Amino acid sequence: MTGTGDDTDLLGSWPADTTARYRAAGYWTGERLDGMIRRHAGNRPGRIALTDGERHWSYAELDRRADRIASGLLARGFRPGDRVVLQLPNTAEFFEVFFGLLRAGVVPVMALPAHRRAELTYFCEFAGARALFVPERHAGYDHRQLASEVLAALAEPIEVFVVGEPGPHLPLDELRAERPRPVADPPAATALAFLQLSGGSTGLPKLIPRAHDDYLYSVRESARICGLGPSSVYLCALPAAHNFPLSSPGSLGTFFAGGRVVLAPDPSPGTALALIARERVTLTGVVPPVALAWADAAPQAGHDLSSLELLQVGGAKLSEEAARRLGPALGCRLQQVFGMAEGLVNYTRPEDDELTVLTTQGRPISDLDDEVRIVDDQDRDLPDGSTGHLLTRGPYTIRGYWRAPEHNARSFTADGFYRTGDLVRRTPTGHLVVEGRAKDQINRGGEKVAAEEVENVLLGHPAVHDASVVAVPDEYLGERTLAYVILRQGADAPRPALLRAFVRAAGLADYKVPDRIEFVDAFPQTGIGKVSKKDLRSTAAPWSPADAPE
Ligand code: OOB
């Protein structure tokens, strides 16, 4: 690892000469992420920043609310550098709290609404969180109850703030100071701003430290590449905390440009297409299955989608055949986005020819300083055009996971390249094509499942001797999860439905529950005696609707 980097000077984890170069190039400007809201609140206070159902908040209102939260946090004893876990769905309060935390220097862990007891408890423990933010309910699920279960699992009590009726917890009003005061000791742009979650391939998710400076660079450049301006209206249809809808260019890119963010409670065609028509949305970013569901539904839905100029698709591989359908079905331009919460984001560009947009996953944000290497298993650079492991470093790609030195030694090269785990090929124009994956992960329609995390839970079942989770191809989601299970000697095979319920009861997010479970006597092995996931994958039949669990 190069550099040391702590939470107050995260950019110290880049080597000093690199830091100097990025600053001189104007990538890191010393501005904080919440600065964009303050700037527009000053210049165009009445302009609408976000729309959530019938609520429309101006930049001035969002700014004032962020100030009130920041003051409230500090008055309650929160200190810059403290961590909290933020689990809020796509409502206006997500941004009220997010910007309030950033302004006070309190660091949110960006949990997703789908996370459950196991994930939230782990985030609280690992991050040493002082508080947890949840909605009252979301998608029919009681998050106050979830928060109570998390509290019961924690050794030390923490505060729980609820958006909505608080039940046994605290209302968000507790943090909304009546008379906000300027933050005495505002955090530096080099400081840790928030912790994103890695898709992961190991037993527990890793936390990704992002500083204001490096994140804002990616937001600013993304907004420029995607042509955002004050008249842009972005539909945030994926969970707002995820890196793609947050920053590529997403909500933050739209705020940066002075545009308007429309929050969709869910990405279903019924909800999203109606919002595009009603709010005159100009761009949005979604995962391939969502884009395809919209394309299928659009002709019958009869909404006026004429405002939509750009549909971004990313998070998982989009096939050429699917890509060809999207633009015509939705009457807009397509852009492929290949990004990762660890940093590097690739976009196809407006000036790219049609075939490039349909068949590549784009090229990096920075022509000059997103360094991309494509290497073999021994880290040797491959000749142009060959498929290999993608390694990358640059002005917004992390140099290490948060507090994970052993893991970092494996996930980064000695000279600071991040090992993405993706297998890619580079075209003569510098565009990347994602050809596969070397990491032990399943990409379930953009939702990442670390095989080992699910295997560890299955191993806790009394009838299970060993478990191996792999991806099976699925026409709709791209991939689904299949758990191969070896039973203990003498154990009766539990019904697959019961094993699935066991995983759910362990407190894992629903999308991690195996889609299919098969019992086998042994796993195929590699030459050195490890389980050969490659062989397991190749023996698995593709997912068919008949496999749907009872
Ligand atoms: C985005 O971020 P994560 O952190 O949830 O997942 C990153 C991984 C990549 O390493 C790659 O394996 C996969 O997701 N991925 C794609 C892809 N975009 C992401 N695989 C194939 N084609 C694509 N277009 O998923 C993310 C973050 C920012 C912007 C967009 C996506």
Side-chain angles (χ1 to χ4, degrees):
M1 282 299 296
T2 43
T4 49
D6 62 24
D7 290 358
T8 48
D9 180 15
L10 193 61
L11 303 182
S13 58
W14 276 266
D17 56 335
T18 310
T19 305
R21 190 157 59 84
Y22 290 165
R23 286 226 169 82
Y27 301 152
W28 297 346
T29 58
E31 199 189 329
R32 288 206 325 268
L33 289 161
D34 51 297
M36 56 176 95
I37 305 301
R38 178 78 94 232
R39 181 158 49 86
H40 296 312
N43 296 341
R44 38 186 131 196
R47 223 190 155 88
I48 299 302
L50 58 87
T51 295
D52 168 10
E54 299 308 315
R55 294 190 291 171
H56 305 276
W57 287 0
S58 67
Y59 277 97
E61 170 147 24
L62 181 56
D63 188 55
R64 197 164 49 239
R65 284 175 176 269
D67 269 347
R68 290 181 63 192
I69 296 282
S71 283
L73 284 161
L74 296 172
R76 226 183 151 81
F78 286 84
R79 291 287 159 257
D82 283 350
R83 274 88 48 200
V84 301
V85 173
L86 181 65
Q87 189 196 39
L88 292 180
N90 294 6
T91 58
E93 288 83 0
F94 174 92
F95 289 105
E96 175 185 7
V97 174
F98 176 71
F99 285 117
L101 291 166
L102 261 48
R103 213 159 256 183
V106 176
V107 175
V109 178
M110 307 293 268
L112 299 174
H115 286 136
R116 293 293 177 257
R117 189 187 70 240
E119 289 99 355
L120 292 186
T121 305
Y122 170 70
F123 300 149
C124 288
E125 277 171 348
F126 185 73
R130 285 195 51 177
L132 167 64
F133 291 79
V134 293
E136 174 190 334
R137 297 184 75 78
H138 174 64
Y141 186 79
D142 185 345
H143 285 254
R144 293 173 305 195
Q145 172 62 29
L146 172 62
S148 297
E149 290 171 27
V150 172
L151 280 181
L154 292 174
E156 301 277 333
I158 63 171
E159 292 188 309
V160 174
F161 296 98
V162 178
V163 172
E165 274 303 309
H169 309 296
L170 298 162
L172 191 59
D173 272 344
E174 288 284 319
L175 288 179
R176 287 177 172 137
E178 282 302 327
R179 259 179 239 91
R181 276 186 276 159
V183 174
D185 185 17
T190 52
L192 173 63
F194 52 84
L195 291 159
Q196 276 283 10
L197 305 177
S198 111
S201 54
T202 54
L204 293 165
K206 286 155 280 137
L207 302 186
I208 297 170
R210 304 295 307 247
H212 295 268
D213 261 333
D214 82 272
Y215 210 67
L216 185 54
Y217 166 73
S218 75
V219 165
R220 201 169 59 229
E221 281 304 292
S222 297
R224 186 185 59 77
I225 289 167
C226 300
L228 265 60
S231 56
S232 298
V233 182
Y234 177 79
L235 183 74
C236 180
L238 297 176
H242 187 273
N243 202 57
F244 180 18
L246 189 65
S247 67
S248 307
S251 304
L252 294 184
T254 305
F255 292 140
F256 176 80
R260 180 162 66 102
V261 173
V262 175
L263 293 161
D266 66 79
S268 67
T271 304
L273 298 179
L275 276 174
I276 291 172
R278 191 183 85 184
E279 300 295 340
R280 305 299 293 158
V281 166
T282 63
L283 83 154
T284 183
V286 291
V287 290
V290 168
L292 290 168
W294 290 5
D296 287 345
Q300 290 84 39
H303 291 295
D304 171 10
L305 305 179
S306 60
S307 60
L308 191 64
E309 294 163 9
L310 180 66
L311 175 73
Q312 302 181 288
V313 180
K317 180 79 185 251
L318 180 67
S319 71
E320 179 182 344
E321 180 263 331
R324 283 190 185 279
R325 281 169 46 202
L326 294 176
L330 297 165
C332 64
R333 208 156 48 73
L334 170 71
Q335 179 184 54
Q336 297 214 37
V337 188
F338 163 40
M340 53 207 71
E342 286 82 354
L344 181 72
V345 182
N346 304 274
Y347 296 104
T348 56
R349 304 295 208 270
E351 63 273 18
D352 287 341
D353 60 52
E354 193 195 359
L355 201 61
T356 303
V357 174
L358 294 174
T359 60
T360 80
Q361 280 64 60
R363 58 184 173 82
I365 288 180
S366 171
D367 286 332
L368 278 178
D369 282 305
D370 272 324
E371 299 170 71
V372 162
R373 288 179 63 199
I374 297 173
V375 302
D376 67 10
D377 289 342
Q378 277 75 47
D379 282 357
R380 289 176 303 219
D381 290 288
L382 288 168
D384 268 351
S386 348
T387 297
H389 302 277
L390 168 64
L391 311 184
T392 186
R393 66 180 184 188
Y396 59 97
T397 295
I398 56 163
R399 293 290 178 125
Y401 291 104
W402 195 66
R403 300 189 180 171
E406 300 89 48
H407 200 87
N408 288 339
R410 284 194 300 276
S411 298
F412 295 81
T413 64
D415 55 354
F417 278 86
Y418 167 55
R419 298 181 189 279
T420 65
D422 293 315
L423 298 174
V424 306
R425 163 171 74 75
R426 190 164 32 193
T427 70
T429 51
H431 290 72
L432 300 178
V433 178
V434 181
E435 298 284 13
R437 195 167 52 236
K439 54 191 165 190
D440 198 5
Q441 185 185 76
I442 297 94
N443 191 333
R444 198 177 177 281
E447 292 186 306
K448 316 300 179 332
V449 182
E452 192 184 314
E453 188 179 15
V454 182
E455 289 162 3
N456 285 345
V457 171
L458 286 168
L459 286 172
H461 189 281
V464 173
H465 168 69
D466 206 352
S468 193
V469 175
V470 297
V472 288
D474 172 60
E475 203 187 331
Y476 176 65
L477 288 178
E479 294 178 5
R480 284 183 187 257
T481 49
L482 163 57
Y484 283 108
V485 169
I486 302 176
L487 291 170
R488 274 187 201 280
Q489 205 130 49
D492 287 332
R495 290 212 349 259
L498 288 180
L499 260 188
R500 300 178 76 250
F502 178 79
V503 176
R504 198 172 283 115
L508 285 195
D510 237 27
Y511 66 84
K512 297 179 186 171
V513 175
D515 291 296
R516 195 160 87 201
I517 292 178
E518 284 182 22
F519 298 102
V520 291
D521 294 327
F523 297 143
Q525 305 214 322
T526 63
I528 52 162
K530 291 207 295 187
V531 176
S532 170
K533 293 232 160 161
K534 201 166 148 226
D535 289 335
L536 272 180
R537 265 197 305 272
S538 64
T539 54
W543 174 264
S544 90
D547 294 328
E550 66 267 43

